[in-house]
């Protein structure tokens, strides 16, 4: 809150170059009403005059604009004024009626008449405007100026050659946010705990800011667009580097407008920048990683967990009862939105993902309950990282607990059911039972018998994979290898994340949605259109890019488990078996052949469509 006490308040007035011929008369008259604290005779760089005017007034001006012709490009006079008896009322301005300090407003109007009208005289209407203008013109805000300046000093005149703050770039992030604090209403939405770390991160790499006045903030930060589309991403120079800033306009419905207004109203100052308060920050992060993202980046887990305790939610909810914490967090978000009367909103920004299916999860739950007679249907593993577009649910069919994968890509649920059924019938111990599936319009899902346990990847990361488990694991890996060979199945995504170890020691291979027949290999059409996903199948456990051999992958799985004397004979036996069968049931996608077809199509299109720009568009479309 700026100081506007009975002791007075700070204002400024500017006599642009074209008004200075009346300078002496104006100064003499001001002394009859206000105290002049300081005077600055300022010169802007000629090449930056338009930019300075644009950023000062928040209106983009072209070269040789009417504004610069009216006000001049030369030296102007800045006056710092103290009004000991401010008086406020509504007056009619160019923007309509506003509540202003009528002492200052009246003098401004008088001096504009003295200089033949127009806007050759500028003055602030309230301390908020003073804060804005002072910070841009001199680089110090309202409170800091008053803290160091003696209001009893005599009038001092300083000659200064200086552009607006940030005109040639920012010295540091501290300077950038110091100016933003005085000139824009904003909050840094996330990653503010360590901005340098956020900017250096490959997963983040920018600063996301919710802003009240988008156009003005773009000019204040001195931002340059860095994408051809209409993304709100801007580059601004800080020191010897350029940083990305993503400005989220409050008018673009990234969140419910009522919520965004509340976030700005309740913001707090943290290490020199404005951020959401703890309650809003907690729910904003959950919203961001569930509604605006398709999967949750690991960085968010500790931050959201810390906020869960900061908001004392552990007094009501037992976080440890949830295997995946965001299952509870998302439930809390929905409760929060309902309690506050906020709605989920689709952003008016085509680049920002909107997880409509997750928002409609209640409809999916109702469909499953009504049509498949399930009970206790609930979301689990919310946005846990499935690149195949699945949403996960748990439910009960009578007393049988089910795990449901809803969605997927194309007809992957059909393919998954076919191979899961074949392998389960072969070996119900090491494969999960597929109960039913559906592939009809938006209703695409597969339901499995629920398997309790943790993935080998998770157990290894937590240091919970013990030697007593490993002996049983390697013996079961050999059995799984035999089953895959017998079923003529190439899983293609054999890796630790896709093996579940149950509490009783069963090793279960899951996730068969992209499995194919070894002898009758035909690539799934949906993966031909998603070559990035095709290339990633198996990750580092695949034989090569676009080439899969489950026996090779299982040999790497055994390396992942590691040999020990306690189970050495079983390990050697399993390793020998999978190595002997490498190459017998393998498939490879001929990416070169596929690309040659694509190039042929592009050549035909190039002949049909001679315009270069359209050729480029078609080329990008086909090559992606």
């Amino acid at each position: 809150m700026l100081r506007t006490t009975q002791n007075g308040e700070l204002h400024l007035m500017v006599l642009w170059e074209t008004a200075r011929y009346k300078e002496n008369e104006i100064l003499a008259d001001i002394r009859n009403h206000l105290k002049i604290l300081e005077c600055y005779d300022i010169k802007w760089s000629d090449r930056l005059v338009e930019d300075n005017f644009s950023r000062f007034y928040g209106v983009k001006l072209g070269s040789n604009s009417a504004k610069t012709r009216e006000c001049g490009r030369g030296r102007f006079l800045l006056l710092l004024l103290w009004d000991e008896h401010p008086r406020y009322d509504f007056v009619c301005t160019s923007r309509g009626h506003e509540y202003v300090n009528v002492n200052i407003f009246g003098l401004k109007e008088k001096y504009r008449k003295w200089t033949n009208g127009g806007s050759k005289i500028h003055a602030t209407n309230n301390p908020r405007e003073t804060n804005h203008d002072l910070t841009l013109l001199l680089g110090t805000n309202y409170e800091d100026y008053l803290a160091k300046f003696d209001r009893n000093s005599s009038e001092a005149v300083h000659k200064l050659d200086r552009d607006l703050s940030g005109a040639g770039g920012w010295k540091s992030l501290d300077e950038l946010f110091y100016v933003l604090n005085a000139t824009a209403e904003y909050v840094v939405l996330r990653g503010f705990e360590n901005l340098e770390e956020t900017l250096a991160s490959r997963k983040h790499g920018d600063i996301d800011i919710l802003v009240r006045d988008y156009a003005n903030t773009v000019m204040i930060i001195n931002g340059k667009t860095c994408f051809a589309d209409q993304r709100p991403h801007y580059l601004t120079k800080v020191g010897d580097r350029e940083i990305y800033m993503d400005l989220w306009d409050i008018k673009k419905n990234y969140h419910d407008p009522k919520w965004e207004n509340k976030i700005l109203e309740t913001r707090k100052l943290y290490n020199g920048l404005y951020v959401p308060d703890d309650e809003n920050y907690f729910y904003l992060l959950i919203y961001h990683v569930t509604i605006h993202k398709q999967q949750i980046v690991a960085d968010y887990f500790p931050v959201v967990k810390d906020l869960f305790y900061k908001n004392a939610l552990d007094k009501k909810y037992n976080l440890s009862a949830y295997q995946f914490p965001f299952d509870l967090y998302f439930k809390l978000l929905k409760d929060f939105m309902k309690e506050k009367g906020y709605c989920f909103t689709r952003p008016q920004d085509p680049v920002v993902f909107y997880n409509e299916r997750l928002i409609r999860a209640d409809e999916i739950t109702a469909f499953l309950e009504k049509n498949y007679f399930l009970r206790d249907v609930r979301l689990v593993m919310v946005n846990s990282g499935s690149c195949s577009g699945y949403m996960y649910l748990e439910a009960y069919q009578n007393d049988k607990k089910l795990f449901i994968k809803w969605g997927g890509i194309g007809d992957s649920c059909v393919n998954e059911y076919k191979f899961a059924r074949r392998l389960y019938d072969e070996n119900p111990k090491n494969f999960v039972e597929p109960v039913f599936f559906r592939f009809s319009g938006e209703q695409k899902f597969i339901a499995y018998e629920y398997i309790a346990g943790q993935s080998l990847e998770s157990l290894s990361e937590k240091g919970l994979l013990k030697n007593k488990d490993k002996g049983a694991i390697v013996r079961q890996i050999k059995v799984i290898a035999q089953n895959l060979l017998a079923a003529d199945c190439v899983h293609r995504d054999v890796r630790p994340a896709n093996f579940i170890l149950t509490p009783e020691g069963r090793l279960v291979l899951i996730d068969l949605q992209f499995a194919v027949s070894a002898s009758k290999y035909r690539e799934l059409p949906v993966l031909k259109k998603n070559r990035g996903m095709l290339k990633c199948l198996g990750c580092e456990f695949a034989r090569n890019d676009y080439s899969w051999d489950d026996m090779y992958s299982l040999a790497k799985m055994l390396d992942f488990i590691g040999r020990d004397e306690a189970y050495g004979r079983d390990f050697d036996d399993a390793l020998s078996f999978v190595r002997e069968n490498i190459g017998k049931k393998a498939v490879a996608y001929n990416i070169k052949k596929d690309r040659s077809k694509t190039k042929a199509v592009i050549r035909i299109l190039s002949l049909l469509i001679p315009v270069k720009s359209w050729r480029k568009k078609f080329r990008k479309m086909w090559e992606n």
Side-chain angles (χ1 to χ4, degrees):
M1 185 71 178
L2 301 176
R3 278 184 273 175
T4 58
T5 67
Q6 58 185 6
N7 296 323
E9 60 187 30
L10 180 68
H11 283 267
L12 63 79
M13 184 176 289
V14 177
L15 281 61
W16 299 115
E17 179 198 22
T18 52
R20 294 193 68 174
Y21 71 98
K22 287 285 188 179
E23 180 179 321
N24 291 336
E25 296 171 54
I26 291 172
L27 288 173
D29 188 69
I30 287 176
R31 291 186 187 102
N32 295 328
H33 305 280
L34 306 167
K35 182 172 181 60
I36 302 175
L37 302 180
E38 286 186 298
C39 305
Y40 287 87
D41 186 314
I42 300 175
K43 176 71 170 72
W44 285 340
S45 304
D46 189 63
R47 65 184 180 84
L48 293 177
V49 168
E50 279 80 15
D51 283 347
N52 286 329
F53 271 123
S54 295
R55 295 179 64 222
F56 188 70
Y57 284 108
V59 179
K60 185 65 177 174
L61 303 175
S63 59
N64 194 31
S65 66
K67 187 70 177 177
T68 55
R69 292 197 301 274
E70 179 185 46
C71 298
R73 309 178 67 89
R75 306 194 77 91
F76 60 89
L77 188 68
L78 167 64
L79 307 174
L80 277 299
L81 310 172
W82 186 255
D83 184 359
E84 291 186 350
H85 305 289
R87 187 166 57 89
Y88 278 78
D89 203 348
F90 282 99
V91 299
C92 186
T93 73
S94 58
R95 295 185 293 265
H97 282 82
E98 294 184 64
Y99 195 64
V100 303
N101 182 334
V102 292
N103 296 337
I104 308 297
F105 186 84
L107 292 177
K108 176 179 68 175
E109 291 298 292
K110 177 166 54 171
Y111 303 150
R112 283 181 172 180
K113 288 179 182 177
W114 287 7
T115 54
N116 296 319
S119 301
K120 295 183 280 293
I121 304 292
H122 170 80
T124 55
N125 289 328
N126 51 55
R128 180 179 54 79
E129 285 189 12
T130 306
N131 193 33
H132 173 281
D133 295 358
L134 185 61
T135 308
L136 284 175
L137 289 167
L138 296 182
T140 186
N141 68 27
Y142 186 102
E143 293 290 353
D144 288 346
Y145 181 86
L146 290 186
K148 68 182 181 182
F149 192 77
D150 180 3
R151 293 196 292 276
N152 295 317
S153 304
S154 59
E155 296 175 13
V157 180
H158 311 278
K159 202 161 188 176
L160 194 62
D161 288 359
R162 184 189 191 277
D163 293 301
L164 292 191
S165 299
W170 305 94
K171 299 186 186 88
S172 64
L173 282 173
D174 289 341
E175 183 194 25
L176 169 57
F177 280 101
Y178 181 88
V179 172
L180 268 182
N181 291 346
T183 57
E185 195 175 354
Y186 77 93
V187 291
V188 178
L189 289 169
R190 49 196 155 264
F192 49 76
E193 295 86 353
N194 189 330
L195 280 185
E196 290 295 345
E197 191 175 290
T198 298
L199 289 169
S201 168
R202 287 190 302 170
K203 295 174 183 175
H204 306 292
D206 59 5
I207 304 174
D208 295 327
I209 304 178
L210 176 69
V211 296
R212 174 85 67 190
D213 189 336
Y214 178 80
N216 175 64
T217 309
V218 171
M219 285 185 276
I220 292 296
I221 67 171
N222 224 347
K224 298 176 183 176
T225 55
C226 47
F227 293 100
D229 56 24
Q230 297 302 307
R231 293 177 66 183
H233 237 70
Y234 292 89
L235 276 174
T236 190
K237 189 176 180 185
V238 177
D240 57 357
R241 60 180 173 155
E242 288 186 315
I243 67 166
Y244 289 101
M245 301 187 78
D246 205 351
L247 304 183
W248 291 43
D249 187 351
I250 196 173
K251 300 180 184 70
K252 289 292 184 71
N253 279 352
Y254 291 102
H255 312 87
D256 187 305
K258 289 185 293 183
W259 189 14
E260 291 187 332
N261 276 295
K262 191 67 175 178
I263 291 164
L264 289 170
E265 286 171 15
T266 59
R267 63 183 183 160
K268 65 178 185 178
L269 204 57
Y270 173 88
N271 288 344
L273 45 144
Y274 283 106
V275 303
D277 65 18
D278 288 343
E279 181 184 42
N280 284 306
Y281 187 33
F282 176 66
Y283 291 110
L284 275 170
L285 286 183
I286 300 168
Y287 195 104
H288 180 63
V289 299
T290 57
I291 305 304
H292 290 155
K293 298 292 181 183
Q294 297 187 63
Q295 63 186 70
I296 301 169
V297 177
D299 300 8
Y300 288 108
F301 282 86
V303 181
V304 179
K305 184 177 181 180
D306 181 57
L307 287 164
F308 176 83
Y309 287 103
K310 273 188 178 179
N311 284 288
L313 291 166
D314 58 312
K315 308 297 183 188
K316 294 183 180 180
Y317 304 96
N318 182 9
L319 185 58
S320 62
Y322 291 79
Q323 185 173 349
F324 192 69
F326 273 87
D327 294 349
L328 172 58
Y329 298 153
F330 186 66
K331 175 187 178 301
L332 294 177
L333 172 65
K334 290 197 296 182
D335 292 345
F336 169 79
M337 301 282 285
K338 184 177 180 180
E339 178 189 340
K340 301 292 185 181
Y342 302 150
C343 299
F344 292 98
T345 55
R346 184 183 295 278
Q348 296 171 20
D349 181 343
V351 177
V352 175
F353 176 71
Y354 181 63
N355 198 341
E356 186 170 12
R357 190 174 56 191
L358 187 59
I359 293 164
R360 294 174 55 205
D362 291 343
E363 296 175 27
I364 294 169
T365 298
F367 172 83
L368 290 169
E369 290 173 344
K370 179 181 178 182
N371 294 279
Y372 288 86
F373 311 109
L374 305 182
R375 62 179 174 83
D376 299 335
V377 184
R378 72 180 186 94
L379 278 173
V380 293
M381 299 169 64
V382 175
N383 274 30
S384 58
S386 170
C387 63
S388 54
Y390 274 122
M391 186 163 64
Y392 303 115
L393 303 101
E394 289 177 3
Y396 282 89
Q397 186 183 54
N398 299 321
D399 293 329
K400 189 173 188 174
K401 190 174 182 180
L402 302 180
F403 180 73
I404 301 168
K405 299 167 69 173
W406 183 287
I409 296 178
D411 62 351
S412 61
C413 63
V414 181
N415 189 67
E416 183 163 7
Y417 183 85
K418 178 178 74 173
F419 282 99
R421 171 54 62 185
R422 185 186 301 179
L423 287 160
Y424 177 78
D425 289 346
E426 182 80 19
N427 176 2
K429 178 182 177 181
N430 297 119
F431 295 93
V432 61
E433 178 189 5
V435 182
F436 53 81
F437 79 96
R438 182 179 177 87
F439 179 63
S440 175
E442 292 185 357
Q443 296 155 5
K444 303 185 294 183
F445 64 88
I446 181 170
Y448 283 105
E449 178 187 10
Y450 181 86
I451 299 293
Q454 295 187 62
S455 72
L456 292 186
E457 180 180 66
S458 176
L459 289 168
S460 177
E461 288 174 351
K462 296 174 182 176
L464 299 177
L465 207 52
K466 308 298 182 184
N467 272 356
K468 63 174 185 169
D469 301 320
K470 291 181 179 179
I473 289 171
V474 298
R475 288 191 294 273
Q476 292 177 85
I477 283 177
K478 180 182 176 181
V479 175
I480 289 170
Q482 292 169 334
N483 296 141
L484 290 169
L485 292 168
D488 191 39
C489 173
V490 185
H491 185 287
R492 298 203 294 178
D493 204 15
V494 171
R495 52 193 174 92
N498 284 331
F499 282 92
I500 301 295
L501 187 66
T502 69
E504 62 271 17
R506 286 174 56 200
L507 184 68
V508 182
L509 179 59
I510 62 170
D511 201 5
L512 287 143
Q513 62 178 319
F514 298 135
V516 291
S517 168
S519 60
K520 299 177 182 178
Y521 168 60
R522 291 182 64 184
E523 190 49 73
L524 303 175
V526 69
L527 288 185
K528 288 184 179 181
K529 299 174 183 177
N530 293 273
R531 292 187 203 143
M533 187 179 295
L534 187 64
K535 182 179 180 181
C536 290
L537 283 180
C539 303
E540 68 271 22
F541 287 79
R543 187 158 193 174
N544 289 298
D545 291 347
Y546 306 106
S547 176
W548 306 274
D549 185 333
D550 287 350
M551 299 304 111
Y552 173 88
S553 299
L554 287 170
K556 293 198 74 172
M557 276 292 306
L558 288 166
D559 288 340
F560 172 82
I561 299 298
R563 188 185 189 282
D564 189 272
E565 288 302 319
Y567 53 87
R569 183 175 295 179
D570 291 327
F571 183 92
D572 295 340
D573 180 48
L575 186 61
S576 175
F577 179 83
V578 296
R579 281 180 173 172
E580 286 171 5
N581 286 283
I582 288 175
K584 292 185 179 178
K585 298 284 185 179
V587 296
Y589 179 65
N590 193 335
I591 187 70
K592 291 183 179 178
K593 182 179 178 181
D594 190 61
R595 281 178 175 163
S596 68
K597 290 181 181 177
T598 299
K599 288 178 181 177
V601 172
I602 291 172
R603 282 197 295 271
I604 293 169
L605 289 171
S606 297
L607 293 172
L608 295 173
I609 306 170
V611 182
K612 288 184 179 180
S613 62
W614 281 101
R615 285 186 186 179
K616 287 179 182 178
K617 288 181 181 179
F618 274 105
R619 183 175 296 276
K620 284 184 179 179
M621 180 182 72
W622 280 93
E623 289 181 348
N624 287 335

